[in-house]
Amino acid sequence: MMKKQGVIIVLVALMAVVLCGAASAADSSINGGEGNISDINASEEVDPVLWVNVGYEYADDEINPEFTVTDSNNDSVAFDKTKYSDTLYKLNFTYNGVTNGTLFNVLVQAPGYVDQTQQVAVQQEGTDPEFVGGATFNMQATENYKLGREVTAKADQLLDFDSADDVLAITTAGVPQLNGGTTEDCIEGILNGSNGKISYGQGNLLMLRQTAVDPVDFAFIVKRGTALYAVCFRNGSAIPVYQGTISEDMQVAEWNNLIASVGGENAYSFASLANAWNAGAPADLLREAAFHGHVCQGTISGYTITQALLKYYPPIQETSGGPGSPGDITSYKVLGVPGDSDDDAVMYFLDATAGKSGYAGFDTSTTGANSSMVGFIRWNSQTSSGDLIVMRFKREENRQQFEQETGITLDNDLAELKFNTWILGKINTNPEQLVEFITEKTGLTEEQYYYLLGTASDIKDSNGTVRIPAQETHGLDMDYINSLNLPNATRTTSTSSDGQLTYDEIKQIGVDAANLAKQVFKDELGIDLEKDDSDLAILTSAGYIYLNGQTTEATWDGIFEVLGSRLSRSTLLPIHMGLWKPLWYAFVLRGADGTTLNALYMRYDQATQQWLVTNGSDGKKVNDIGPAALNNQTQLNNLETVLPDGNFFNIQSIANAWRNDPAFDQLVTFLFHDHACPGVQPGFFITDYIFENIPLEDNQSYTYIADSIYCKDDSLIYLLGISPGMGTYLNQRLPNDEVESELLNGGTEEGVLVVWDNELNVGYAYVISFKWATLDMSGLTTSAASREAMIAAYIDMYNGEANARVQALPVTTATDERIITESEFNALKQGGTASTTALEYLRGIPVRNLSDLIPVEGGSETGSSSQGTSTGSSTGISTANGSGASKFSTGSVGTTGTAVNAATQTTTTEDGSDSAGDSGSAYEVTKAGTQNTDDTPWGTYAIVGIVSVLVLGALGFFFRGNLFGQ
């Protein structure tokens, strides 16, 4: 047997040498081939065999490659795959009319590597009736994957991972753009290059939430005893900028050296996360801190407040809320005062995000509230009553106690690192001393509920009578809350036991789930689930939810061990959930037709320590949840029984969005939002628009005050680099009739964007408006199918691809430009004045020049070249594809893409979940044709580019202000 395999390998190698002379192994796509199909054999079925050898640029990569075979007409060919060695694969299939020289196209794909395609000819050898072909693929890593591997190898060389007690990696990679795309491949490089030392499931890989225009940075930290040592890299470079201590015990000179090397923001982010990790902070707290940007007292306080809330006022039921999507429900409504990190923490741990109407907050300090306070409403929509709880973190008391116990004065960042460690110790010993319950009331009425949270539309009885009129959000109004005279609430007195499972035991739960899924798919459909399959998505609550008080991210490593699925490959999709939810997995396999989604759902039973597999009324465990099933009401009803935990919408919406290959930044935003819907997608386009048309300069930052609040606010928070905890996202829900755009016909005034300049101490304020796309919804009979079609249309628009349902594209504008003072900025953050909303207040500010606020001796001050004068409230920066306009420039409203002729039924999506957006790229990359695509050989690009440049040069286009100007 071994001799026969050896002969086969030699033959394959010889054939590969011959084929390499005739077929390209380059990074290109072959659109069919000129086969030599004889009429004589046209009706005969033949069983061709393709021997394919796949090697990787990094020899230690053990990746199961994905193959696609098409014929000379570019039609798909189904085949069986057999693995013969670490690199050799046999692809055999049945095909009509094969003759010597018939060509087949073989596409090879692997995560972290550039797709490669070759044309492979099959031949008969002597009297052998088989037609055999062979090819060798030397897979080349993507530039981003190389970067991840290189920084990991360099850090390992300098820090010696093997001799360390533990290893931590922190990176901004993921959403930031580099080398023509998002940077999840950098993370893939870290994971594959660390030889198992770093993984998602061990909790020692932290992704800092960053924007598309932020740099890609890395920090690797090792622990040796109590000492921490780091190697840091900046701006997408594999050359270290810092090597040394990152311990809280470092000297001032060492701290200053760290800041000088990596920058102040990175220094505190890296050091605070590393020292909290060293102090034993829970993995979910570290992930939330990475979402927020660093570990600080507010991050830890939000974690502590959440634990106290769940202990004494656990969730009873989910509260209906949001503008219409079935996924816009939360168990708590959160009232905050943005500016303290605790708001981000409670929003994160409770899955009470702003986009699901779970969070409401602006500066209500004039009412007696402050940023250390957080309010919670536990609402019962069936009884129309609720509990109102207000807590605060005892910030000053804790800081004073720390200084008394340690003798350390909290007046610098190094002291803050020590304080963080001290606070984490208190969480483990006496967490309740850190927080105070200010208000514990019950009997909150519907009128009071809507006064605090606001409602964009009238709340009506079944007969149409207005019960609660539309009104703005009042947030954490302590004067109002204290005036209610509600009865005291009763705390729940429950005991909970902490689990004692090890990492390996929790990991095994994931292994068992994956193996069970393989067995069910094999038994029910005859399908073998392959490892590293990009057509298999695994959705889960793991990583967010607890088992007996323990975090569950270790199950991710179990899933990866069996099926090779993980977030950096867009195949393991942890869905944001409240930490009290059950542990479940959904295994979803995309069919060859691109639309079928075979799904298997299972829930973990803590009592029996077994996975419970659910089935429908027909007994099937594996069921299609793709577009066809969603458009069949009978099947929809059946699927509700297959997924019995109230998460069917979350799972099917994200699975169907994933089916359409969204960009990584879209996908992680869907996961954060906890479902996919049309309503979350305008945030993608608005963010791109802002980056392109209103970019930041040195010493500037964004603040956003929302007034039309729905799902898109979550995508703005995730992608624009803003959040309540940072004090840069505030919301004041306004009635619908107050946000109808006066300047963009059919558009909505989404919110006020302020670019604040810390150096000049002035701001540039705009009203951001958005108009939904018009889509053709003909042929769809259920709301679930309509939503799926809308989501798919938006993904296509964002990727710059045509979609037959798009009739008119969306529009984004920035209008009502004003230059504002600090006091005016503060008034905006307070929701305006007693008689105006923030939106009305902004429009009341006079139009003026920068020189009106900052006079300069000997002349006027107009700021930098991108900061001109405002042209008044009737003009603004135009829209969709982005005009490249600078601050306060003017332009006309426009659209992007190609509008496709529609059929009968049309829908203009509106405020809420059933809505859509524009498709402009806002930063250094285009969203189509990146290095991972197989559309055109790079050599062709180069030739076309050179010819184009020569032609343009001859036409005289090389002058400032035109195509190559600026």
Side-chain angles (χ1 to χ4, degrees):
M1 181 64 182
M2 291 298 294
K3 182 177 179 181
K4 182 175 181 181
Q5 288 185 5
V7 171
I8 291 171
I9 293 172
V10 171
L11 286 173
V12 170
L14 289 171
M15 291 178 70
V17 171
V18 175
L19 287 166
C20 284
S24 168
D27 315 335
S28 59
S29 173
I30 306 298
N31 296 316
E34 306 233 359
N36 183 25
I37 300 178
S38 168
D39 291 337
I40 297 174
N41 293 326
S43 62
E44 296 181 10
E45 282 196 347
V46 180
D47 297 329
V49 174
L50 303 178
W51 292 94
V52 183
N53 195 62
V54 180
Y56 295 104
E57 183 172 348
Y58 293 91
D60 60 343
D61 274 337
E62 297 179 358
I63 303 172
N64 182 27
E66 188 168 343
F67 298 101
T68 302
V69 179
T70 57
D71 62 15
S72 58
N73 296 317
N74 219 26
D75 293 329
S76 295
V77 175
F79 59 88
D80 293 322
K81 181 174 81 171
T82 305
K83 183 176 181 179
Y84 275 78
S85 72
D86 288 341
T87 62
L88 183 62
Y89 299 84
K90 176 185 177 182
L91 311 181
N92 61 284
F93 49 92
T94 300
Y95 193 85
N96 286 332
V98 176
T99 63
N100 282 330
T102 297
L103 294 174
F104 293 94
N105 307 313
V106 179
L107 167 67
V108 180
Q109 297 171 294
Y113 283 84
V114 180
D115 297 349
Q116 286 193 22
T117 304
Q118 291 188 43
Q119 281 188 326
V120 181
V122 293
Q123 303 282 349
Q124 286 179 314
E125 295 296 330
T127 59
D128 190 340
E130 279 194 330
F131 286 84
V132 179
T136 294
F137 288 80
N138 295 310
M139 301 293 285
Q140 300 301 304
T142 66
E143 291 302 315
N144 288 338
Y145 183 74
K146 288 180 186 177
L147 176 60
R149 291 289 303 234
E150 289 170 8
V151 296
T152 306
K154 189 64 177 179
D156 191 5
Q157 175 191 348
L158 296 173
L159 296 174
D160 189 10
F161 293 170
D162 285 336
S163 67
D165 298 334
D166 210 344
V167 184
L168 173 69
I170 306 170
T171 181
T172 63
V175 171
Q177 300 267 323
L178 184 67
N179 296 314
T182 52
T183 44
E184 64 272 23
D185 274 1
C186 293
I187 300 171
E188 188 72 9
I190 293 172
L191 295 168
N192 288 347
S194 69
N195 297 315
K197 295 290 192 305
I198 300 168
S199 71
Y200 283 114
Q202 294 175 83
N204 62 348
L205 173 66
L206 299 176
M207 294 170 53
L208 287 167
R209 178 176 58 102
Q210 297 285 282
T211 75
V213 298
D214 284 322
V216 178
D217 301 327
F218 307 89
F220 294 86
I221 298 98
V222 295
K223 180 192 304 185
R224 287 191 173 86
T226 59
L228 297 178
Y229 301 96
V231 169
C232 303
F233 305 83
R234 291 194 68 187
N235 298 322
S237 170
I239 299 173
V241 296
Y242 177 80
Q243 179 183 359
T245 179
I246 200 167
S247 169
E248 64 183 43
D249 295 321
M250 73 181 86
Q251 300 301 308
V252 172
E254 293 171 320
W255 174 250
N256 290 337
N257 182 33
L258 177 64
I259 291 176
S261 301
V262 303
E265 182 177 349
N266 272 351
Y268 192 74
S269 293
F270 295 159
S272 64
L273 287 165
N275 283 279
W277 166 74
N278 187 39
D284 59 337
L285 190 155
L286 292 173
R287 283 193 297 274
E288 188 283 320
F291 168 84
H292 174 65
H294 55 252
V295 177
C296 60
Q297 181 175 345
T299 302
I300 300 169
S301 72
Y303 177 84
T304 309
I305 286 173
T306 300
Q307 298 294 327
L309 175 73
L310 295 178
K311 178 179 180 179
Y312 293 116
Y313 296 97
I316 298 174
Q317 67 167 49
E318 291 188 313
T319 301
S320 177
S325 168
D328 291 346
I329 50 177
T330 61
S331 293
Y332 300 92
K333 301 299 182 185
V334 178
L335 303 172
V337 179
D340 195 305
S341 307
D342 56 357
D343 284 20
D344 283 356
V346 297
M347 182 177 70
Y348 182 92
F349 291 119
L350 300 178
D351 187 25
T353 60
K356 292 192 295 291
S357 299
Y359 175 88
F362 57 98
D363 182 2
T364 53
S365 56
T366 58
T367 71
N370 63 62
S371 61
S372 67
M373 294 181 181
V374 187
F376 303 93
I377 298 176
R378 189 173 62 167
W379 183 252
N380 188 324
S381 57
Q382 295 178 345
T383 62
S384 294
S385 64
D387 301 318
L388 175 60
I389 313 300
V390 181
M391 284 189 279
R392 78 171 182 95
F393 190 73
K394 295 193 284 189
R395 172 178 295 277
E396 292 308 315
E397 296 95 319
N398 291 321
R399 295 175 77 84
Q400 290 172 11
Q401 184 179 350
F402 168 78
E403 292 183 346
Q404 290 171 0
E405 289 185 10
T406 65
I408 299 172
T409 301
L410 286 169
D411 58 0
N412 59 65
D413 287 335
L414 278 177
E416 290 290 337
L417 295 178
K418 292 182 173 64
F419 177 68
N420 291 344
T421 300
W422 181 84
I423 283 286
L424 286 169
K426 295 296 183 184
I427 286 179
N428 295 327
T429 58
N430 188 11
E432 293 185 32
Q433 79 170 62
L434 305 177
V435 301
E436 176 188 5
F437 284 85
I438 298 174
T439 299
E440 299 174 79
K441 299 296 183 180
T442 192
L444 190 73
T445 68
E446 189 177 42
E447 181 181 3
Q448 295 160 352
Y449 174 79
Y450 283 112
Y451 176 88
L452 295 170
L453 291 172
T455 174
S457 57
D458 294 337
I459 306 298
K460 298 180 180 180
D461 293 326
S462 57
N463 62 4
T465 302
V466 174
R467 188 167 73 250
I468 306 290
Q471 57 193 286
E472 67 187 69
T473 297
H474 290 85
L476 193 61
D477 184 335
M478 290 304 296
D479 285 341
Y480 176 78
I481 290 171
N482 291 333
S483 71
L484 295 179
N485 197 29
L486 296 171
N488 293 331
T490 302
R491 294 184 181 183
T492 298
T493 54
S494 60
T495 58
S496 60
S497 59
D498 291 333
Q500 301 298 319
L501 296 176
T502 66
Y503 160 80
D504 288 333
E505 289 171 329
I506 298 176
K507 175 185 173 182
Q508 187 61 41
I509 294 173
V511 170
D512 294 342
N515 284 325
L516 178 57
K518 290 183 68 174
Q519 187 64 50
V520 173
F521 268 85
K522 182 67 173 178
D523 292 345
E524 198 157 289
L525 299 181
I527 293 175
D528 290 311
L529 295 182
E530 282 196 68
K531 191 172 185 179
D532 304 331
D533 188 353
S534 66
D535 287 319
L536 177 66
I538 304 174
L539 297 81
T540 182
S541 62
Y544 288 103
I545 64 91
Y546 284 5
L547 285 179
N548 290 332
Q550 290 184 269
T551 60
T552 49
E553 65 281 339
T555 65
W556 297 342
D557 283 354
I559 293 291
F560 176 77
E561 181 176 295
V562 178
L563 292 171
S565 305
R566 59 188 177 201
L567 180 60
S568 54
R569 297 180 175 185
S570 297
T571 51
L572 181 62
L573 308 179
I575 298 180
H576 194 184
M577 293 271 151
L579 54 83
W580 57 88
K581 297 291 185 70
L583 174 61
W584 55 261
Y585 274 95
F587 297 79
V588 182
L589 184 65
R590 178 168 46 195
D593 60 3
T595 58
T596 301
L597 284 179
N598 285 312
L600 167 69
Y601 182 80
M602 59 180 72
R603 183 205 314 126
Y604 187 70
D605 186 327
Q606 295 186 54
T608 63
Q609 299 182 10
Q610 297 293 320
W611 285 98
L612 304 177
V613 179
T614 55
N615 55 266
S617 56
D618 55 4
K620 291 182 179 179
K621 297 180 177 68
V622 182
N623 294 269
D624 180 21
I625 60 171
L630 298 182
N631 204 33
N632 182 317
Q633 190 60 55
T634 300
Q635 180 62 2
L636 265 179
N637 295 338
N638 178 54
L639 291 172
E640 292 284 357
T641 65
V642 177
L643 286 81
D645 295 322
N647 52 17
F648 170 64
F649 177 73
N650 308 75
I651 291 170
Q652 69 84 2
S653 64
I654 291 179
N656 276 285
W658 165 84
R659 180 181 59 81
N660 289 287
D661 297 318
F664 185 75
D665 52 357
Q666 284 186 302
L667 187 59
V668 293
T669 305
F670 288 139
L671 295 174
F672 171 69
H673 184 53
D674 91 12
H675 63 272
C677 64
V680 77
Q681 293 172 288
F684 306 149
F685 305 113
I686 292 172
T687 298
D688 275 9
Y689 170 84
I690 291 170
F691 285 151
E692 185 167 346
N693 293 281
I694 316 174
L696 295 178
E697 298 177 6
D698 290 342
N699 302 304
Q700 292 183 342
S701 60
Y702 294 123
T703 294
Y704 183 80
I705 301 107
D707 48 52
S708 176
I709 300 159
Y710 54 96
C711 308
K712 66 98 178 53
D713 287 65
D714 280 354
S715 46
L716 288 176
I717 287 172
Y718 201 93
L719 299 176
L720 193 57
I722 56 177
S723 74
M726 297 167 66
T728 51
Y729 172 87
L730 309 92
N731 63 20
Q732 180 189 34
R733 184 186 304 279
L734 300 183
N736 288 331
D737 60 359
E738 294 185 27
V739 295
E740 295 175 359
S741 177
E742 301 174 2
L743 303 176
L744 178 59
N745 186 29
T748 302
E749 293 171 342
E750 303 290 352
V752 174
L753 177 74
V754 176
V755 176
W756 184 254
D757 193 309
N758 287 315
E759 184 175 326
L760 299 177
N761 208 39
V762 298
Y764 303 86
Y766 312 80
V767 173
I768 302 296
S769 298
F770 186 81
K771 181 179 180 180
W772 302 97
T774 302
L775 303 177
D776 166 28
M777 294 288 101
S778 59
L780 302 173
T781 60
T782 69
S783 60
S786 295
R787 285 193 184 90
E788 187 283 324
M790 293 179 201
I791 295 167
Y794 282 72
I795 290 172
D796 285 342
M797 284 189 283
Y798 192 68
N799 290 335
E801 298 173 358
N803 185 290
R805 294 193 181 275
V806 178
Q807 287 188 303
L809 291 152
V811 179
T812 304
T813 62
T815 61
D816 297 280
E817 308 97 329
R818 299 291 191 274
I819 301 177
I820 62 173
T821 65
E822 184 174 16
S823 62
E824 290 165 343
F825 187 28
N826 289 334
L828 286 172
K829 290 188 286 187
Q830 291 170 356
T833 65
S835 60
T836 66
T837 64
L839 196 59
E840 294 168 330
Y841 179 80
L842 175 65
R843 290 202 172 102
I845 297 173
V847 176
R848 53 203 171 193
N849 297 325
L850 188 59
S851 58
D852 296 329
L853 300 180
I854 308 177
V856 176
E857 185 177 352
S860 64
E861 170 62 72
T862 59
S864 67
S865 60
S866 70
Q867 295 167 345
T869 60
S870 170
T871 54
S873 63
S874 63
T875 61
I877 301 172
S878 71
T879 96
N881 62 340
S883 61
S886 58
K887 293 182 179 68
F888 292 178
S889 66
T890 63
S892 61
V893 173
T895 58
T896 56
T898 304
V900 182
N901 188 31
T904 54
Q905 181 185 356
T906 63
T907 298
T908 301
T909 51
E910 298 176 355
D911 178 89
S913 66
D914 300 338
S915 330
D918 110 54
S919 64
S921 170
Y923 26 82
E924 60 117 346
V925 309
T926 54
K927 290 186 174 60
T930 66
Q931 64 179 27
N932 290 311
T933 64
D934 55 355
D935 296 333
T936 309
W938 288 113
T940 303
Y941 281 130
I943 293 170
V944 171
I946 292 170
V947 171
S948 300
V949 169
L950 291 174
V951 171
L952 291 172
L955 293 174
F957 272 63
F958 293 97
F959 61 88
R960 179 175 177 82
N962 271 301
L963 186 59
F964 296 95
Q966 307 302 323

